[in-house]
Amino acid sequence: MSPSAVLQNRWVRFAFRRAGRLVVSLWVVVTAAFFMIHLIPGDPVRGALGISAAPEIVAAQREALGLNRPLWDQYRRFISGLFTGDLGNSILKRQPVWETIAVRLPATVSLAVPAFLLALLVAVPLGVAMAVITRNGRARRAELGFVGTSVVLGTIPDFLYGCLFIALFGISLKWLPVAGRRGVSSYILPVVSLAIGAIAILARIVRVEVLAVLNTDYVRTARAKRLPAWQIYLKHAVPNALTATLTLSGMLLATMCVSTVFVENVFAWPGLGQTIVTAITSKDFPVAQAVILVYGAGVIIINTVVDLILALLDPRSAVSEG
Amino acid sequence: MTRVQKMLGTPLARTAAVLLGLVAVLAVLAPVIWGRRAETVDMTGILAPPSAAHWAGTDGLGRDLLARVLVATRLTLLLTLEATAIGVVAGFLLGAAPFLLGRVLGRAVTWLIGMAVAFPGILLALFFAVIFGTGAASAALALGLASAPAFARLCQTLVAGVLARDFIAAAQIGGVGRFRILFRHILPNIGAPLAVNATAGAGSILLSFAGLSFLGLGVQPPAYDWGRLMMECLQSVYVYPLASLTPGLAVVLAGLAFNLTGETIAHSLGIVTMSGLRGQSRRARAASRPGSRRAGPTGPASVRTSGASDWPVVPADVELTSQDDGAAALLSVRGLRVTFPTESGWVSPVRGVSFDIAPGEAVGLVGESGSGKSLTALAVAQLIEFPGRVAADAVRFAGAELTDGTSHRHLLGTSLAMVFQDPMTSLNPTRRVGAQLAELGRAHGGLNRRAALARAVDRLEAVRIPEPARRARQYPHEFSGGMRQRAMIGLGVMLNPRLIIADEPTTALDVTVQAQVLDLLASIRRRDGVALWLISHDVSVVAAVCDRTLVMYGGRIVEDLPTARLRTAAHPYTRALVAAVPTMTTDVTAPLATIPGRPPGPGELSGCAFAPRCPLADDRCRAEEPAVVSAGAHRVACWHVAEAVR
């Protein structure tokens, strides 16, 4: 293929467009994280070290953070630091920030990803089943019960689930460990706490999407073929409801990654969520900055991956747009 | 119904509003009533479980938990309202930015908002919490700013809606300044939806605030809100595990109260919501997904009022004979009725339809949109879904009684084919065309995967699709409209059907393609000896293909006649339809013939359905449903014909 022919290819054009968006979004997040420190009212170093700190220590810390340099120079160093893995040093622990991130990030991901998979695994079949049961206004009571339950379950914050589970399964029944990250059993309560709310929200959306698809002409065509019911639902309806479900799932996974902040603090889970809460309360700004950056980049990467999957799954969607 | 009654129309809305009122009353009164009790330290009764004296137990200093939860209502609510106010104001200013700042800056702000809403709210809140530090005021500011992008997007939508209206243009032409327009003209018009959404949004903000305080980033001791209480309860979880239940319940109930009040009012007033906006953007991304069925075009309801002198023209050979039992017919329908429930009771869009189709015969069914012809086809094909109901004296197809309660899946799957109106939406967009044909062969033709696909390619070739093997691997969106309809017909002849029901198969197609599709249907019918039931609003389409024509009006068949006799039809409606078709000899200087009036809706019928539009209608026509008179192959339901015959 000639170069111009490659550029004509819609997949190539799509890849370029999407990569461009990815870079710009990442740049915005990096810039926001950089300026975050400079937006802090007052003197961040004084704030971190306290009023009683000796002037030499404050000056040394300011020097270490590079706050004496011109803003543009700081920005340049910050960005080049990202490429070399130099995110600065923790004020509190006096060790490189990236070391903390390297230890803590896997703990958070190992909580968010299983919770997300659990949510998908439960919510999608549940939503499809509820759509089938309640389609065309059948089973009004089941519909009311489902919607009501899912609204309430979706409203309860995950840290409250965490507290309840600790009280119930950890302390009263003593079935499961309630703190720390040791062994598979320690994952159960935090993962379920994270997943329940997501299941409620996702199942509701899946039901609405599948209901919409069940009313389309092509499902009528499938019915006119007299296919077995399961084929109509699984082969014809569900794939068409996936686009919207996946888009929402991406948002959900991003939210779950950040929501671990609550669950981690409930279950004393050594992840990024605990790190950032400690960093904020103790004004350890380099650490807070880095964690925010990791969260933000994570959200952007998840969104990009979802877009790619959507483009692969749905032959008409993103690739042909714009 | 007053506005308030309408807003609180459902029990859910009332419950939510009452709950919200209760929270507000508690916020005012609780600190006054229980303030001292909540502060009373009792070191002898630390972390006590619920008792008569302390309904929810006590905390680490022996203070009454229930009293503390009730007292905390005020601080929780105040902080929630503060954060919400910050979010709404910031959101409004950001949302109005495109209007205030002009095109370039406005687009930049819009882009930033679009990016910000892609981030979870809690991440934005943490971002601002880093900047502002810990504390109640900082947390309120952080949560307010974190909710601003969502409010901004809502405001953008609302402002854009108002801007499109005439009085804004008038104000702009009149030289009114932008800020004045914003606050005097736009704000009053978006105030109500903004307030309703702010109420719903306050629910989420309340929950998030509890989260921040729970993490120790919000309210600091000695002050306490519900989130802070939950945090303190968690610290004593080993001694009194369920202590966090009381503040937790308060958080959930108050959050739900705000949320549901906002959402139910928005729903009853038809206001766009933030959650709805999220749905919209999802739908926009799912872009070209074929949506609701295209509305059928209105038929050529046209006629030159025929002079009274040509009436009645009853064919000379009309004899009254009783109808046969349709034993020789391929399809025999007797007394078919379709009923649907509506808010005002049951309506019957199809009210007693009887006809036969012989093997290999081509029968047309013409009528305007809403005459019930498509429902008749769906009812015969057993495709009417709940809550619709089908009743019939008999529907016999290929020797089987379809109304006997069994599904007849195999018979219908092999012998009855359906071609629907809109080929753009009738094929599944996520499956390859070949696979969509092949699955019929696998389900009913006993073919394996490979043989079914080979048959599908063969059928695509039979419906004159070029390069059928390559096309079979493509998705419907890679086909043109005419090709998709041919693929649908190919699906119809996948097995060897005995009847093809084609419901407006050409309506959605270009005129040139229409002829090709009709030609294809006719040639398949000739070649395979398949019976064809062609449903159309267009008499000329039916006349071109069919041996016999059924004319439907108001849910009944008003005339059943050989197509060759259409020009001498007996029913005034048929005559009007025929006269409305322009031919080469039509006087082009005269206005196109039309039938005055509109077809009746189901449920507004008495007497002959056509009477209100019929030039011949008399009192009897308006009062009594006309009986069917038949003569050989010709049946008519019209009082005038019946009398002339008599």
Side-chain angles (χ1 to χ4, degrees):
Chain A
M1 266 197 290
S2 71
S4 66
V6 171
L7 282 175
Q8 283 298 312
N9 183 299
R10 57 204 185 108
W11 282 100
V12 175
R13 285 215 313 263
F14 169 72
F16 269 107
R17 211 168 46 231
R18 202 61 196 78
R21 225 159 82 194
L22 174 69
V23 169
V24 173
S25 311
L26 284 175
W27 171 75
V28 169
V29 168
V30 166
T31 307
F34 170 76
F35 280 106
M36 185 168 67
I37 300 258
H38 296 270
L39 287 173
I40 293 165
D43 180 353
V45 178
R46 267 284 172 207
L49 298 178
I51 351 169
S52 56
E56 310 85 71
I57 299 176
V58 173
Q61 185 62 58
R62 182 168 288 128
E63 178 66 32
L65 288 175
L67 292 175
N68 293 332
R69 299 169 192 278
L71 197 61
W72 172 247
D73 193 39
Q74 289 182 44
Y75 186 56
R76 201 178 52 75
R77 281 163 174 272
F78 182 70
I79 290 187
S80 66
L82 291 179
F83 287 100
T84 56
D86 177 13
L87 297 170
N89 290 322
S90 160
I91 297 178
L92 207 63
K93 294 203 221 146
R94 309 206 167 273
Q95 66 182 34
V97 172
W98 73 264
E99 283 181 13
T100 312
I101 302 281
V103 176
R104 296 291 180 123
L105 179 61
T108 292
V109 172
S110 71
L111 210 56
V113 169
F116 175 68
L117 294 179
L118 176 66
L120 278 187
L121 230 58
V122 178
V124 172
L126 182 64
V128 173
M130 287 314 299
V132 169
I133 293 171
T134 62
R135 71 186 193 281
N136 290 342
R138 277 171 244 239
R140 268 279 145 73
R141 283 194 186 164
E143 182 182 0
L144 273 178
F146 170 76
V147 172
T149 314
S150 65
V151 165
V152 173
L153 289 184
T155 306
I156 298 175
D158 35 23
F159 55 90
L160 188 55
Y161 284 119
C163 293
L164 288 180
F165 291 163
I166 287 183
L168 214 64
F169 299 107
I171 295 172
S172 300
L173 298 170
K174 298 199 191 330
W175 285 352
L176 291 162
V178 295
R181 182 186 181 215
R182 268 184 310 276
V184 179
S185 61
S186 68
Y187 280 78
I188 296 175
L189 291 184
V191 165
V192 174
S193 307
L194 259 180
I196 291 187
I199 289 172
I201 294 166
L202 190 57
R204 209 159 67 223
I205 304 281
V206 169
R207 175 179 158 264
V208 171
E209 293 297 329
V210 172
L211 278 180
V213 172
L214 285 178
N215 276 323
T216 56
D217 288 354
Y218 54 83
V219 168
R220 187 183 58 188
T221 305
R223 288 175 50 231
K225 290 181 196 171
R226 323 287 159 175
L227 298 177
W230 67 268
Q231 268 192 29
I232 295 178
Y233 297 132
L234 294 188
K235 285 190 169 177
H236 288 268
V238 172
N240 284 288
L242 271 186
T243 314
T245 306
L246 241 136
T247 311
L248 186 89
S249 307
M251 276 297 276
L252 213 60
L253 177 58
T255 308
M256 275 175 147
C257 283
V258 186
S259 291
T260 47
V261 70
F262 299 111
V263 173
E264 283 178 15
N265 279 281
V266 174
F267 291 96
W269 194 265
L272 286 180
Q274 279 210 326
T275 311
I276 191 164
V277 171
T278 319
I280 292 174
T281 44
S282 61
K283 298 191 185 297
D284 191 349
F285 296 117
V287 175
Q289 189 182 38
V291 177
I292 291 281
L293 196 57
V294 170
Y295 278 148
V299 170
I300 288 170
I301 289 167
I302 290 169
N303 284 342
T304 308
V305 170
V306 167
D307 274 5
L308 285 178
I309 296 175
L310 282 178
L312 289 173
L313 276 187
D314 191 338
R316 300 156 304 157
S317 71
V319 186
S320 49
E321 117 202 344
Chain B
M1 208 157 55
T2 69
R3 203 174 157 88
V4 175
Q5 276 173 331
K6 194 177 168 192
M7 283 193 295
L8 302 176
T10 64
L12 180 64
R14 282 193 291 273
T15 313
V18 166
L19 211 56
L20 195 58
L22 195 68
V23 172
V25 170
L26 271 181
V28 175
L29 296 182
V32 181
I33 302 174
W34 296 289
R36 286 200 38 211
R37 186 176 164 83
E39 301 297 332
T40 310
V41 175
D42 173 13
M43 296 314 279
T44 59
I46 291 173
L47 294 173
S51 64
H54 304 287
W55 288 1
T58 58
D59 72 353
L61 290 173
R63 294 173 294 199
D64 184 73
L65 250 178
L66 183 62
R68 286 177 76 75
V69 169
L70 292 172
V71 170
T73 311
R74 180 184 284 180
L75 184 60
T76 307
L77 200 64
L78 281 178
L79 290 172
T80 300
L81 294 181
E82 190 184 329
T84 310
I86 293 169
V88 170
V89 171
F92 175 65
L93 292 177
L94 282 174
F99 173 70
L100 290 178
L101 300 179
R103 179 170 290 208
V104 178
L105 272 175
R107 280 184 74 167
V109 173
T110 306
W111 184 82
L112 272 176
I113 293 170
M115 180 154 172
V117 287
F119 289 98
I122 187 67
L123 176 55
L124 298 177
L126 285 176
F127 174 83
F128 288 116
V130 174
I131 297 177
F132 302 128
T134 55
S138 309
L141 192 56
L143 275 175
L145 293 179
S147 64
F151 282 118
R153 218 193 17 206
L154 173 77
C155 287
Q156 262 178 356
T157 312
L158 295 174
V159 169
V162 177
L163 281 182
R165 284 156 63 178
D166 288 342
F167 62 88
I168 300 293
Q172 279 174 324
I173 292 166
V176 182
R178 282 181 175 177
F179 276 95
R180 203 179 153 80
I181 292 182
L182 184 64
F183 287 102
R184 293 293 291 276
H185 297 281
I186 297 180
L187 192 55
N189 279 292
I190 69 171
L194 198 53
V196 169
N197 275 285
T199 309
S204 324
I205 289 177
L206 186 142
L207 290 163
S208 304
F209 213 114
L212 282 191
S213 284
F214 179 76
L215 292 177
L217 303 178
V219 173
Q220 302 296 322
Y224 55 96
D225 67 344
W226 288 334
R228 183 83 209 176
L229 285 176
M230 287 168 79
M231 180 200 193
E232 288 165 5
C233 288
L234 182 68
Q235 285 163 355
S236 57
V237 70
Y238 289 93
V239 188
Y240 173 20
L242 284 174
S244 58
L245 202 64
T246 317
L249 195 66
V251 167
V252 173
L253 283 181
L256 273 176
F258 273 110
N259 226 316
L260 291 180
T261 306
E263 294 276 346
T264 48
I265 291 178
H267 184 75
S268 62
L269 297 185
I271 288 173
V272 57
T273 61
M274 289 194 281
S275 49
L277 275 182
R278 276 202 296 279
Q280 257 179 25
S281 65
R282 268 189 293 117
R283 232 161 282 270
R285 290 178 71 168
S288 47
R289 175 149 40 109
S292 56
R293 199 166 304 163
R294 208 177 294 174
T298 321
S302 41
V303 83
R304 224 168 303 181
T305 341
S306 39
S309 57
D310 354 333
W311 182 259
V313 188
V314 181
D317 57 344
V318 165
E319 295 164 24
L320 289 179
T321 54
S322 65
Q323 259 193 327
D324 65 39
D325 62 355
L330 171 67
L331 174 69
S332 173
V333 177
R334 294 290 176 271
L336 181 75
R337 303 177 68 85
V338 180
T339 348
F340 281 95
T342 65
E343 280 172 20
S344 50
W346 292 82
V347 294
S348 300
V350 177
R351 314 175 291 132
V353 163
S354 306
F355 63 94
D356 292 331
I357 296 178
E361 191 184 20
V363 175
L365 178 63
V366 279
E368 288 164 80
S369 331
S371 59
K373 52 191 195 309
S374 286
L375 283 175
T376 304
L378 288 174
V380 166
Q382 310 285 302
L383 288 173
I384 297 279
E385 275 212 285
F386 182 90
R389 284 191 194 164
V390 179
D393 301 331
V395 179
R396 289 188 69 78
F397 173 65
E401 177 54 61
L402 297 184
T403 55
D404 63 3
T406 58
S407 77
H408 298 283
R409 259 191 52 216
H410 189 70
L411 172 72
L412 293 171
T414 51
S415 303
L416 180 74
M418 300 252 350
V419 177
F420 293 108
Q421 173 175 346
D422 192 345
M424 300 315 217
T425 57
S426 293
L427 287 166
N428 191 326
T430 56
R431 291 171 65 80
R432 295 175 201 275
V433 173
Q436 298 193 43
L437 267 68
E439 69 181 346
L440 186 61
R442 297 186 67 191
H444 298 295
L447 300 175
N448 64 26
R449 189 188 179 82
R450 179 171 253 177
L453 204 59
R455 173 78 180 164
V457 172
D458 174 69
R459 293 292 87 187
L460 288 178
E461 188 164 24
V463 293
R464 301 171 203 159
I465 286 179
E467 297 181 75
R470 184 174 69 88
R471 287 295 185 174
R473 287 192 302 273
Q474 289 186 331
Y475 289 95
H477 74 276
E478 295 169 90
F479 277 45
S480 71
M483 244 198 294
R484 287 191 216 186
Q485 195 60 304
R486 273 180 280 162
M488 279 299 289
I489 296 171
L491 172 66
V493 294
M494 184 64 194
L495 305 169
N496 292 309
R498 303 182 63 188
L499 173 64
I500 298 177
I501 302 179
D503 184 3
E504 303 267 9
T506 58
T507 307
L509 303 175
D510 289 341
V511 179
T512 46
V513 185
Q514 286 186 5
Q516 295 173 17
V517 168
L518 285 179
D519 186 39
L520 177 66
L521 281 171
S523 74
I524 284 173
R525 179 198 154 217
R526 272 195 308 273
R527 191 185 59 206
D528 303 344
V530 189
L532 176 66
W533 185 17
L534 180 65
I535 292 151
S536 179
H537 64 274
D538 190 343
V539 184
S540 56
V541 165
V542 167
V545 179
C546 299
D547 311 322
R548 203 151 53 81
T549 302
L550 308 170
V551 181
M552 196 156 182
Y553 191 87
R556 296 190 78 196
I557 288 182
V558 295
E559 187 156 15
D560 170 0
L561 77 172
T563 306
R565 288 204 209 132
L566 267 174
R567 296 241 151 245
T568 54
H571 198 284
Y573 178 63
T574 317
R575 295 158 64 86
L577 277 182
V578 172
V581 179
T583 64
M584 295 308 283
T585 57
T586 304
D587 179 4
V588 290
T589 59
L592 204 62
T594 57
I595 305 176
R598 59 175 185 85
E604 45 182 271
L605 294 168
S606 69
C608 174
F610 189 57
R613 302 168 77 187
C614 182
L616 304 165
D618 53 29
D619 289 344
R620 187 179 191 184
C621 296
R622 281 182 278 268
E624 282 178 71
E625 185 108 39
V628 176
V629 291
S630 63
H634 196 161
R635 288 187 296 149
V636 189
C638 174
W639 282 124
H640 296 278
V641 179
E643 279 163 6
V645 168
R646 193 163 293 137

